Amino acid sequence: MRDLLLIAGYAMAGASGAGLLGALALRALRHRSVVVSLTVVAAVTVTAMLAGTLTVCKAMFLDPHDFSVVTTVVAMAAVVSLVTALVLGRWVVARSRELTLAARSFGEGGSFAAPDGASTAELAALSRELAATSARLAASREREQALEASRRDLVAWISHDLRTPLAGVRAMSEALEDGVAPDPQRYFRQIRTEVDRLNAMVGDLFDLSRIHAGTLGLTPSRISVYDLVGEAMAGADPLARELGVRLVGERVDAVPVEVDGREMTRVLANLLVNAIRRTPPDGTVAVAAERRADEVVLSVTDGCGGIPEDDLPRVFDTGWRGTAARTPPAGAGLGLAIVRGIVEAHDGHAGVHNVEGGCRFEVTLPAAP
C-alpha cells in the first residue's frame, strides 16, 4: 500500500507541473482560435500523462530499454491526441465561420438560413435561436413598414380633413371682419361648429397617440354590461331619432366585467354612432351582450349593406374610412382605431363580420370572476 501511495504521489507531482503550465498557456491564449485552445488542452493532457509516467519510471529505476519503450508509447499517444485535437478544432472553426457568415447576412437585413451539414449540439442550438430571432425581426420589420404606411396615410388624411374646416372658418371670419356677412349670428354658430369638429379631431389624435405609446390610463371597476349598454344607448338615442334609425337592445345579459367605465362607454358610443350614420332611415341598429364561456361579447349590428370582404381586415386600421358611400361627413377615420386600442388595453379584442343587410361589430372582453 505504501508503494502504491508513493507511486501516486510521484505521478501527481509530475502531472501537476504540466497542468500548471497548461493553465497558464490557456489563460495567455484565451482570446485565440478554438483550434489553439483544443490543441493546448490535448497537449496538457498528454504532457501530464507523459510527465507522470516518466516520473514514476525514474522513481522505479527502470533500465534504459524499458524506459525508452514507455517513452515511445506515450509519445505516439501524444501525437495521435494532438492530431485529433487539430482535426476537431478545424472542423469546429469551419462550422463557426459558416454560422458567422449566415448571421452576417441576417444582420444586414436579410433572413437567416442555417448552414447545411452536421454541427455540434451547441452550434445547432445557436442556429435555431438565430433562425427564431430572424423570424421575429422579419415580423417586426413588416409591422414597422405597415405602421409607417399607416402614419403616412394618416398624415395625408388629417391634412385634408383639417384643411376643409380651417378654410371655412377663415372665409367666415373674413366675411365677419369685412362686414359682408348677411347673418352674423349664423356665421358665429357655424364657426363654433367647425371649431368643435377640429377640437374632436385633435382629441382623437391625442388619444390615439396615448394608445400607441401604451400610456392610456385605465381605472377598472366592476360594472354590469347591462348598465354599460344602457348608458351608451341613451347617449346615442338622440342621433338615432334625428336620422330616423331605430335603436334596439336585443339580448343583454347582466354580466359583470372589470373595465374602465368611461373608456368602454366611449367604445360603444363610437360603434353606435358609426352604425347609426351608416344605416339608412327606417333601418335598425341592434345592440346585444352575452356571455360565452369566460368571455363577454358586446355586439352592434347595423344596416349598412355590408363591407367589402377585402376591406374587412382593414376596418380597425388607423385612418380607414372605406368607400365613399361609407365615408362619414366628418372625422379622420380614427374612431375604430381608438375602439381597438381601448379594447386591447382591456385584454380583449375587436372584430367585424358581415351579416344579412349589414355588418356586426363585436367586442370581446374577459368576464369578471
Side-chain angles (χ1 to χ4, degrees):
M1 186 66 178
R2 180 175 176 277
D3 293 339
L4 183 60
L5 292 176
L6 188 60
I7 291 173
Y10 279 122
M12 178 63 71
S16 297
L20 180 59
L21 292 176
L24 294 175
L26 283 175
R27 179 176 177 79
L29 300 173
R30 63 185 181 276
H31 299 302
R32 301 295 295 274
S33 170
V34 70
V35 176
V36 176
S37 298
L38 286 174
T39 304
V40 171
V41 170
V44 169
T45 303
V46 174
T47 303
M49 181 183 65
L50 178 61
T53 302
L54 296 181
T55 302
V56 171
C57 290
K58 282 292 186 181
M60 293 175 66
F61 301 105
L62 293 182
D63 60 77
H65 177 268
D66 292 341
F67 187 77
S68 64
V69 170
V70 172
T71 303
T72 303
V73 172
V74 175
M76 291 301 101
V79 171
V80 172
S81 299
L82 290 175
V83 171
T84 303
L86 286 172
V87 172
L88 176 61
R90 290 179 64 85
W91 179 75
V92 171
V93 168
R95 296 298 301 167
S96 299
R97 287 175 178 169
E98 292 175 0
L99 191 60
T100 300
L101 292 175
R104 184 177 301 163
S105 64
F106 142 60
E108 291 173 351
S111 58
F112 176 79
D116 297 330
S119 63
T120 63
E122 292 78 8
L123 290 179
L126 180 58
S127 296
R128 290 192 295 270
E129 286 298 324
L130 287 174
T133 302
S134 174
R136 289 193 293 269
L137 285 178
S140 177
R141 282 194 293 267
E142 290 178 359
R143 288 194 299 269
E144 183 180 358
Q145 291 171 358
L147 183 59
E148 185 60 29
S150 176
R151 286 190 184 125
R152 288 196 298 268
D153 292 342
L154 177 61
V155 169
W157 289 325
I158 287 295
S159 300
H160 176 270
D161 288 333
L162 288 176
R163 187 180 297 115
T164 301
L166 285 174
V169 169
R170 179 176 181 177
M172 287 182 287
S173 62
E174 289 176 350
L176 290 170
E177 184 180 9
D178 296 338
V180 296
D183 187 356
Q185 292 302 319
R186 184 174 68 84
Y187 274 42
F188 288 137
R189 289 192 299 271
Q190 188 63 30
I191 289 175
R192 176 63 181 269
T193 299
E194 297 297 337
V195 169
D196 288 342
R197 287 177 58 193
L198 291 171
N199 184 63
M201 292 170 63
V202 172
D204 285 347
L205 279 173
F206 177 70
D207 291 337
L208 193 62
S209 67
R210 287 195 302 154
I211 290 172
H212 286 167
T215 58
L216 181 65
L218 298 177
T219 308
S221 61
R222 190 179 181 91
I223 186 172
S224 172
V225 172
Y226 186 86
D227 296 334
L228 201 63
V229 171
E231 184 176 351
M233 290 182 64
D237 186 65
L239 178 63
R241 292 178 180 275
E242 178 184 348
L243 298 180
V245 176
R246 291 187 300 274
L247 184 60
V248 299
E250 294 183 339
R251 176 184 176 183
V252 180
D253 297 338
V255 182
V257 288
E258 291 278 352
V259 297
D260 186 310
R262 185 177 68 88
E263 295 294 345
M264 199 51 61
T265 300
R266 181 181 183 182
V267 165
L268 290 176
N270 280 357
L271 293 178
L272 284 172
V273 169
N274 283 345
I276 292 170
R277 285 177 175 171
R278 290 166 173 78
T279 299
D282 296 329
T284 300
V285 171
V287 186
E290 59 179 319
R291 180 163 187 162
R292 301 177 187 172
D294 295 332
E295 297 177 330
V296 177
V297 180
L298 308 173
S299 64
V300 176
T301 306
D302 60 29
C304 67
I307 300 173
E309 293 294 331
D310 293 341
D311 284 342
L312 282 176
R314 302 180 54 239
V315 167
F316 292 96
D317 289 352
T318 302
W320 183 87
R321 289 181 293 186
T323 61
R326 291 183 53 84
T327 302
L334 304 181
L336 292 179
I338 292 174
V339 165
R340 180 175 63 180
I342 294 175
V343 171
E344 289 180 352
H346 285 86
D347 296 326
H349 61 271
V352 60
H353 61 273
N354 286 324
V355 295
E356 183 178 355
C359 58
R360 176 174 296 156
F361 287 84
E362 292 186 348
V363 170
T364 303
L365 299 169

